[in-house]
C-alpha cells in the first residue's frame, strides 16, 4: 500500500507539474472549464469542497500571511473549514505552504527551485499518506491547489515555476513526506 501511495503521489506531482497549474489559462470562466459564464471564487470553491468561503482575490501572488507561517491566511481558514482529521489538516497545510513557496520562489535561483520542488513532492506524499483513501488524497491535492492558485497572478506564477522545474529530477519523498512541523 505504501509503495502504491508513493507511486500515486509521484504521479500526482507529475500531473500537477505537467499540466502547468491550471486554473488561469486565460479563459473567461475562471478556469472552471465550462466556457459559458464567469464564476465567482465562491461558486468555484462551493463546487470543489462544499465551502462558501471567499478566498483572497488580490492581484499579488503572495497574498496575506499575517502570521508568517508560509500559508495565506484565507487558505489556512479554508483548510480549517474542511473537516479534515488533524493529520490531514496538517498535510493540507504543508501542501498549501509548498504551493505558496512555488509561486513565490525566484525562478532564477536553481537551489531555491530544487527546494521548492522537493517541498511540493514531500507535501503531496504527506497528503496521500494522511488521506483515508487514494481518491480522497487526489481530491485533497486538487482542492488545495485550486484554493491556493485561485487568481491569474497565482496561476501565472505557478506556470513560471512549473516551466522552470520542467525536466528536472527530485528525490523521492522520505518516509511519509510529512515535515516535523505537522
Amino acid at each position: 500500500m505504501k509503495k502504491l501511495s508513493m507511486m500515486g503521489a509521484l504521479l500526482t506531482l507529475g500531473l500537477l507539474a505537467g499540466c502547468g497549474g491550471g486554473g488561469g489559462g486565460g479563459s473567461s470562466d475562471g478556469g472552471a472549464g465550462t466556457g459559458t459564464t464567469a464564476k465567482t471564487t465562491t461558486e468555484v470553491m462551493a463546487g470543489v469542497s462544499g465551502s462558501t468561503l471567499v478566498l483572497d482575490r488580490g492581484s499579488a501572488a503572495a497574498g496575506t500571511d499575517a502570521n508568517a507561517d508560509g500559508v495565506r491566511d484565507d487558505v489556512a481558514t479554508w483548510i480549517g473549514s474542511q473537516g479534515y482529521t488533524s493529520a490531514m489538516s496538517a498535510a493540507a497545510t504543508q501542501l498549501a505552504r509548498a504551493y505558496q513557496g512555488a509561486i513565490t520562489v525566484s525562478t532564477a535561483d536553481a537551489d531555491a527551485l530544487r527546494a521548492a520542488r522537493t517541498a511540493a513532492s514531500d507535501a503531496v506524499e504527506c497528503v496521500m499518506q494522511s488521506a483515508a483513501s487514494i481518491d480522497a488524497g487526489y481530491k485533497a491535492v486538487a482542492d488545495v491547489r485550486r484554493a491556493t492558485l485561485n487568481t491569474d497572478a497565482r496561476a501565472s506564477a505557478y506556470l513560471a515555476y512549473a516551466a522552470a522545474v520542467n525536466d528536472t529530477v527530485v528525490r523521492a519523498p522520505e518516509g511519509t513526506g510529512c515535515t516535523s512541523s505537522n
Side-chain angles (χ1 to χ4, degrees):
M1 179 65 174
K2 185 172 182 133
K3 191 171 200 167
L4 181 61
S5 292
M6 182 177 290
M7 299 236 348
L10 292 175
L11 175 62
T12 300
L13 181 60
L15 291 173
L16 292 176
C19 72
S27 67
S28 64
D29 64 347
T34 62
T36 55
T37 61
K39 290 188 175 192
T40 67
T41 303
T42 301
E43 291 169 331
V44 171
M45 291 313 299
V48 168
S49 64
S51 171
T52 57
L53 175 70
V54 176
L55 293 171
D56 170 24
R57 298 285 297 167
S59 60
T64 302
D65 180 13
N67 63 358
D69 67 350
V71 179
R72 275 192 358 247
D73 297 338
D74 59 323
V75 173
T77 301
W78 175 82
I79 290 170
S81 74
Q82 297 307 295
Y84 291 143
T85 64
S86 62
M88 189 64 182
S89 180
T93 299
Q94 180 180 337
L95 183 59
R97 186 176 299 113
Y99 283 140
Q100 190 69 18
I103 65 174
T104 57
V105 71
S106 168
T107 57
D109 184 339
D111 290 335
L113 280 169
R114 189 172 18 267
R117 179 131 188 242
T118 299
S121 176
D122 287 352
V124 168
E125 179 66 15
C126 183
V127 168
M128 297 305 291
Q129 292 289 330
S130 301
S133 68
I134 288 176
D135 289 340
Y138 287 144
K139 181 178 180 343
V141 168
D143 285 353
V144 171
R145 188 176 87 168
R146 284 185 195 106
T148 306
L149 307 178
N150 68 324
T151 66
D152 285 343
R154 292 175 184 132
S156 293
Y158 186 79
L159 286 171
Y161 157 79
V165 299
N166 190 32
D167 293 332
T168 62
V169 177
V170 66
R171 67 157 174 76
E174 297 173 356
T176 63
C178 299
T179 62
S180 60
S181 64
N182 282 357

